Amino acid sequence: MASQHHRREVILFLIALILPSAVLVGLGLRMIAQERVAAEARVADEWGTTVRQIRLDLLNRLENIKRGEIEALTSGSGQVHAHRYVNPAVQLIATLEDGRVVLPWERNRAEVVRRRLSAAPFADWIWQGERAEFRRRDLRTAIECYGRAVELAQHPAQSAFARLSLARVLAGAGRVEQSWAQYRQVHAISPDITDEHCVPMPLYAAARLLDARLDQRQVQERLGTIIADHGWMAPATLRMVQVLLDTLIVAGLDSSVRSAASELRGPVADAIPVTDMALVLQHDFPSLGLRYPAPSPGSAEARWVPYGERSWLISTASFPDGVTDVLIALEARAVLAPLRDPNVWPAGHVGEVRVRSDGDGEGQLLGAALPGLEVVFPRASGTDVAALQRTLYGLALLLVVSITFFGAFLVWRDVRRELRLADLRSQFVSSVSHELKTPLTSIRMFAEILQTKDPPDPRMQADYLGTIVGESERLTRLLNNVLDVSKIEQDRMIYRPRPTSLAEIAHRAVQALEYGLEQEGFTLNVDCPDEIPLVPVDPDALEQAILNLLTNAMKYSGESREIDLRLRSENGYAVVELTDRGMGIARQDLERLTEKFYRVPTSENRHVPGTGLGLTLVDHMAKSHGGQLRVQSVVGEGSTFAIWLPLESGE
């Protein structure tokens, strides 16, 4: 009946709230959708005008940068390979030859060096020296051949190559000082003298000198000169310079050398990713779709294409002579940085220009001249009023839905609570009925036996009377528990503490249950030392608490028949501790043990009579006296219940 009543209340509540809420939500969503469509149409027109203006401004800025760099190169104030540009946003300027990007450090140098090193008779003596050094291990002959090559060298590159080979063989032959002399001569030549890999010859000598920890300051100064004056360096050169600087930083004998090397390493580390990017760009240039031959700066055919992980903007341009074409790469972040200034944008339309990521289509493209660049406006830009209205509508809808669900939650919680209480009451009535029926049956049975015309012998008669008394006391304890819980609920429970001996109360409780313990076959181990001080406690309440704990121990001991009762003092508290070796309690059930009517829901407990009130009274008694009830339990091993009571002040 109660369940049907609650179900009817829930249905009526849901109808009263959900139907109006659903209508309101539908109307609100329709209004929001209409307002959004109108606002989007308005904003689209405004954004279109803004995008066109931004496209023109950005193209003018890019073409001005390109024109300035071309004019600087044309006037002779700069060189393509110098790595010094007028605008700091410029990352790379490279020439274009037959549709191929010629990077600044190449300049056909590799082929020239290769021809010089293979020229006769120089190359013949180098070949003979290498044959003697590597095949026959004849270092003496190798020294003579490399020395002859040094004499025949007609170019500094030939001389440096031969001296490096000669220094290597001299070191292998044990003529170390002569080897260092050759390395020092190579180290002193111009860094413009490179091998076929565009690596300056002095760097090879510098590496050998640093291995021997020689001329560290001279090497550091030469590296500084190369970094400052050499312009663009090949990737192999950059990495070799970086290794040499790392060697000076780690193994430098002078702190000033180490400090200078650390300062030089930063620009080199910054240049390496730019150089690597230039190499990848050289390979990918044909696929970028840029016009070749290149248009003149400012031409309407100019295009700027985003490229690479570093977000470069790539374009091509032709020199005024109409013969030389170049590729120019700008750092997109530096070029687009001025567009972050709100003053650049029309009022109410401040957005962001960025490179479109793969699959990202949030903004509006800037057109064919700037493929891959888009303008992204904040979603609320130009639509503040509409956004505010949508926000208010949304908050109203959210409020209605929240109230609906909150009301449903309250009803659901109340129903669950009522059902749980009804179930607990039902269990309590059943348990109390069983608890009352069992002792009453025993009392009546033994009383009827005593009323017969043939009474039993005196010993059995005493046993029968003891049973009647024990069951009567059991009934009294049960009724006292129920009455005490009723007093607690009505806040009428009164305790009268006075200095009391715990040992006396414990023995009195044991004596009250002595007959029941004996009948059930329990062994009760009592440890009650007399030196425990008097405790301010209500004697009757404490005795009832100990009786409740002893009764529980008897009920839930299972097959075990041993119980321990101990008294002790610890940290200003008197402790009444009772231990059984029975079923034990799971950890998740420990927190609810002191709830009214609560009993651990296990299959074993269903067959154990009880009301679920004993531990509630024990916990209330302990807390009312300033103490607490502590429980420790392991399933299958038993439980320990301890009542902690504060000692008298000063004890």
Side-chain angles (χ1 to χ4, degrees):
M1 229 16 224
S3 177
Q4 293 178 357
H5 176 69
H6 287 303
R7 188 179 298 113
R8 184 166 59 253
E9 287 182 350
V10 171
I11 293 174
L12 292 175
F13 177 80
L14 293 178
I15 292 175
L17 276 182
I18 290 180
L19 286 181
S21 300
V23 173
L24 181 60
V25 168
L27 293 175
L29 291 177
R30 183 177 179 182
M31 293 176 62
I32 291 175
Q34 293 175 346
E35 180 63 25
R36 183 172 61 250
V37 171
E40 288 176 353
R42 242 183 356 259
V43 172
D45 294 339
E46 298 173 354
W47 283 359
T49 303
T50 302
V51 168
R52 288 190 291 272
Q53 184 62 42
I54 292 298
R55 177 170 61 246
L56 293 176
D57 292 345
L58 183 56
L59 279 174
N60 288 335
R61 182 181 294 109
L62 293 172
E63 290 302 313
N64 287 337
I65 294 175
K66 181 194 295 184
R67 188 180 297 107
E69 298 296 334
I70 296 299
E71 290 175 356
L73 293 173
T74 304
S75 63
S77 60
Q79 296 178 336
V80 173
H81 67 278
H83 204 174
R84 295 188 184 92
Y85 305 123
V86 176
N87 194 293
V90 179
Q91 298 292 298
L92 171 69
I93 297 179
T95 57
L96 297 173
E97 295 180 2
D98 298 327
R100 177 183 177 274
V101 177
V102 180
L103 296 174
W105 61 83
E106 292 178 340
R107 293 176 292 164
N108 297 323
R109 186 187 303 175
E111 185 61 31
V112 173
V113 173
R114 195 175 292 111
R115 287 199 303 268
R116 286 171 179 167
L117 295 181
S118 61
F122 172 81
D124 296 334
W125 286 103
I126 292 294
W127 178 81
Q128 293 181 31
E130 290 176 347
R131 184 176 182 182
E133 178 184 1
F134 298 113
R135 288 190 179 182
R136 300 197 305 269
R137 305 295 180 184
D138 185 357
L139 300 183
R140 181 176 180 182
T141 302
I143 291 173
E144 294 176 356
C145 293
Y146 290 145
R148 183 60 178 161
V150 171
E151 295 174 357
L152 294 174
Q154 298 180 354
H155 189 272
Q158 294 177 331
S159 175
F161 185 84
R163 289 184 184 278
L164 288 173
S165 301
L166 177 60
R168 182 180 65 244
V169 178
L170 288 172
R175 297 159 64 176
V176 178
E177 294 300 329
Q178 296 179 19
S179 173
W180 302 142
Q182 295 295 328
Y183 281 131
R184 288 188 174 101
Q185 290 190 47
V186 176
H187 185 255
I189 67 176
S190 170
D192 291 332
I193 307 302
T194 66
D195 63 1
E196 64 271 25
H197 303 294
C198 302
V199 178
M201 293 287 193
L203 294 182
Y204 293 106
R208 302 286 75 80
L209 293 173
L210 290 185
D211 288 342
R213 295 197 172 189
L214 297 175
D215 302 342
Q216 291 185 347
R217 183 171 297 279
Q218 289 81 354
V219 171
Q220 176 260 310
E221 292 174 352
R222 172 51 64 94
L223 292 175
T225 302
I226 293 175
I227 294 171
D229 302 333
H230 201 57
W232 276 95
M233 290 185 282
T237 303
L238 279 172
R239 285 176 170 78
M240 192 169 183
V241 170
Q242 187 180 43
V243 170
L244 295 176
L245 291 173
D246 290 341
T247 303
L248 286 173
I249 294 171
V250 174
L253 300 178
D254 190 339
S255 60
S256 61
V257 172
R258 294 194 299 270
S259 176
S262 299
E263 294 178 0
L264 293 173
R265 194 185 186 284
V268 174
D270 294 339
I272 288 177
V274 176
T275 305
D276 292 340
M277 184 102 167
L279 285 173
V280 179
L281 174 61
Q282 183 184 48
H283 177 269
D284 294 343
F285 176 74
S287 64
L288 296 182
L290 290 172
R291 183 180 170 218
Y292 183 80
S296 59
S299 170
E301 299 176 344
R303 298 175 73 237
W304 290 87
V305 179
Y307 175 78
E309 296 180 358
R310 300 180 68 85
S311 296
W312 284 359
L313 292 176
I314 310 297
S315 185
T316 56
S318 177
F319 274 52
D321 58 15
V323 177
T324 305
D325 294 326
V326 295
L327 174 144
I328 180 169
L330 308 181
E331 185 182 14
R333 182 173 55 183
V335 174
L336 301 178
L339 295 178
R340 297 192 183 97
D341 185 0
N343 297 324
V344 177
W345 300 79
H349 300 282
V350 178
E352 176 188 5
V353 179
R354 68 185 186 188
V355 178
R356 172 172 287 189
S357 305
D358 293 339
D360 182 6
E362 294 183 359
Q364 298 186 32
L365 290 173
L366 285 175
L370 296 167
L373 289 181
E374 63 179 359
V375 179
V376 180
F377 292 96
R379 295 188 181 275
S381 177
T383 60
D384 293 338
V385 176
L388 180 59
Q389 292 177 349
R390 290 197 299 271
T391 302
L392 293 176
Y393 291 151
L395 290 176
L397 294 177
L398 179 62
L399 180 61
V400 171
V401 173
S402 300
I403 292 175
T404 302
F405 282 100
F406 183 67
F409 167 74
L410 291 179
V411 172
W412 173 75
R413 188 189 65 175
D414 290 342
V415 170
R416 283 194 59 193
R417 182 173 57 191
E418 290 296 329
L419 292 175
R420 185 168 62 250
L421 289 176
D423 184 55
L424 290 176
R425 290 193 189 99
S426 177
Q427 293 180 8
F428 171 72
V429 171
S430 176
S431 299
V432 168
S433 300
H434 185 273
E435 287 281 310
L436 291 173
K437 184 178 180 181
T438 301
L440 285 174
T441 301
S442 299
I443 292 172
R444 180 173 181 177
M445 181 183 67
F446 287 110
E448 289 177 350
I449 292 175
L450 292 174
Q451 285 181 341
T452 60
K453 295 182 179 180
D454 298 323
D457 60 69
R459 188 180 62 182
M460 294 181 63
Q461 185 175 359
D463 290 341
Y464 294 163
L465 291 174
T467 301
I468 292 173
V469 173
E471 294 299 328
S472 299
E473 291 177 348
R474 178 179 170 185
L475 285 174
T476 301
R477 287 194 299 273
L478 175 61
L479 294 175
N480 287 338
N481 283 344
V482 175
L483 293 174
D484 288 345
V485 169
S486 177
K487 291 179 181 179
I488 290 174
E489 288 181 341
Q490 299 174 18
D491 198 18
R492 294 191 299 107
M493 190 67 178
I494 299 175
Y495 297 102
R496 295 179 175 84
R498 65 174 185 269
T500 305
S501 171
L502 291 186
E504 292 180 4
I505 297 176
H507 286 299
R508 200 161 62 206
V510 171
Q511 186 177 4
L513 278 181
E514 185 176 3
Y515 183 81
L517 291 167
E518 181 180 352
Q519 291 296 317
E520 298 290 337
F522 279 94
T523 299
L524 180 60
N525 303 315
V526 181
D527 181 11
C528 298
D530 296 330
E531 62 270 13
I532 296 179
L534 299 180
V535 179
V537 67
D538 187 317
D540 295 333
L542 180 58
E543 180 181 354
Q544 184 67 30
I546 296 175
L547 285 173
N548 287 342
L549 294 180
L550 281 171
T551 303
N552 281 351
M554 293 170 61
K555 290 179 181 179
Y556 300 105
S557 285
E559 300 297 330
S560 174
R561 284 296 179 268
E562 187 173 358
I563 302 173
D564 298 332
L565 175 61
R566 294 181 296 275
L567 302 180
R568 57 187 174 87
S569 59
E570 181 179 337
N571 297 330
Y573 284 84
V575 183
V576 181
E577 192 172 72
L578 194 139
T579 302
D580 65 65
R581 297 166 179 80
M583 304 175 185
I585 305 168
R587 180 176 299 177
Q588 64 270 19
D589 295 317
L590 291 177
E591 295 182 357
R592 300 189 59 190
L593 283 179
T594 58
E595 292 183 12
K596 287 182 297 184
F597 310 125
Y598 179 78
R599 303 187 67 205
V600 177
T602 61
S603 57
E604 296 87 350
N605 290 353
R606 293 174 186 170
H607 306 291
V608 179
T611 61
L613 299 177
L615 292 179
T616 303
L617 294 171
V618 175
D619 182 65
H620 186 272
M621 186 280 300
K623 291 180 178 177
S624 298
H625 287 78
Q628 60 180 316
L629 173 64
R630 299 183 184 179
V631 185
Q632 295 179 345
S633 184
V634 178
V635 176
E637 297 183 9
S639 306
T640 297
F641 292 82
I643 303 174
W644 289 64
L645 298 170
L647 295 170
E648 283 187 333
S649 176
E651 293 289 334

